[in-house]
Amino acid sequence: MILYPLILTLAMLAPELTDTQKSDLEITLGSVSQTKSGYLTVLGPKERAHRKSGTHQDASLQFRYRGPSKQTSKLASGEVVRQIGLKMRAKNSCNLLYVMWRIEPVEQIVVTVKSNPGHSSHSDCGARGYTTIAKISLEEVGITARTHSAHRMRARVEEENGNFQCIVDVDDKTVWSGSLETRVVAPINGPVGFRSDNGSFIFKLFVDDESR
């Protein structure tokens, strides 16, 4: 695998954030590897991980999609999606905010809250408690990860006077900002993480230490 073009591209994109190493992650599903040059990689149908500490409200995922995984896993709905994204305010696997770059079947950013008060493990909540907040088409703005080029997705959660807002940037352009329901989001807080489904990805996960 030739990494040099990816390294140069991501170096130009990288903000002044803290780079996540594999040793910083708690891997809860699947397998995550790290290259000698420090890039995280996933190959399987389902990978889930989050940082072991911190409650960062600003995170950036810089990645290159390398194609479908060899094995395929369906969502609980029966749908097959290929995606990678951020887990924000991840209190546990039942209560968190997802900001996902969905590549297939339709290329879009999908913002979703999973809320299951009183539950903490997947065996408790399964696929229940999802509320989709926004779907932002990337095809309409001419951005695609299908060409295997490097991209950056950044998500921020801001709070002011008890009101929460999420802002999503793609390749340094804001593609969406919207309100989050306070009663749902306020009790949910925890580390940043990532999730991938049915794709091969090489990436870096950055967090802003000032947003602890």
Side-chain angles (χ1 to χ4, degrees):
M1 181 191 307
I2 300 175
L3 295 180
Y4 298 109
L6 175 67
I7 293 170
L8 291 174
T9 304
L10 291 188
M12 291 186 289
L13 291 174
E16 293 300 323
L17 302 178
T18 299
D19 190 358
T20 298
Q21 305 298 309
K22 182 182 176 182
S23 59
D24 298 324
L25 293 171
E26 181 173 339
I27 301 164
T28 56
L29 185 63
S31 177
V32 180
S33 300
Q34 187 167 24
T35 68
K36 291 181 179 179
S37 52
Y39 289 84
L40 301 171
T41 65
V42 292
L43 299 170
K46 287 184 178 182
E47 270 79 25
R48 312 284 188 269
H50 59 263
R51 289 179 60 94
K52 294 176 181 177
S53 62
T55 54
H56 306 88
Q57 308 303 316
D58 188 342
S60 181
L61 187 69
Q62 299 182 33
F63 74 95
R64 181 165 64 86
Y65 172 58
R66 301 183 295 186
S69 56
K70 291 183 179 180
Q71 295 179 310
T72 298
S73 177
K74 295 181 180 180
L75 301 180
S77 65
E79 184 180 19
V80 174
V81 301
R82 306 194 191 282
Q83 63 180 359
I84 189 169
L86 294 164
K87 298 166 66 173
M88 305 289 293
R89 300 177 68 87
K91 182 176 182 179
N92 48 54
S93 61
C94 294
N95 299 276
L96 68 159
L97 173 69
Y98 284 109
V99 181
M100 303 298 299
W101 186 310
R102 188 166 293 181
I103 299 167
E104 294 180 5
V106 177
E107 194 147 22
Q108 57 189 346
I109 303 298
V110 181
V111 183
T112 308
V113 169
K114 185 176 185 182
S115 176
N116 294 274
H119 298 291
S120 59
S121 66
H122 183 75
S123 60
D124 294 331
C125 62
R128 298 186 297 276
Y130 283 99
T131 300
T132 299
I133 299 171
K135 291 184 178 181
I136 306 100
S137 172
L138 292 177
E139 294 178 333
E140 292 181 2
V141 296
I143 298 175
T144 179
R146 295 174 183 170
T147 58
H148 309 302
S149 56
H151 293 279
R152 175 186 173 200
M153 182 178 70
R154 179 185 179 192
R156 289 163 284 158
V157 177
E158 298 179 352
E159 179 186 1
E160 185 174 355
N161 299 322
N163 298 312
F164 291 83
Q165 183 181 37
C166 180
I167 302 99
V168 180
D169 297 341
V170 171
D171 295 344
D172 296 321
K173 296 180 180 179
T174 299
V175 297
W176 180 80
S177 63
S179 298
L180 303 174
E181 192 171 357
T182 300
R183 69 172 185 84
V184 174
V185 175
I188 298 174
N189 205 4
V192 163
F194 78 90
R195 165 181 177 161
S196 68
D197 293 272
N198 299 313
S200 171
F201 297 93
I202 181 168
F203 62 98
K204 280 183 172 285
L205 171 63
F206 295 93
V207 297
D208 182 358
D209 276 335
E210 293 183 357
S211 68
R212 287 180 182 271

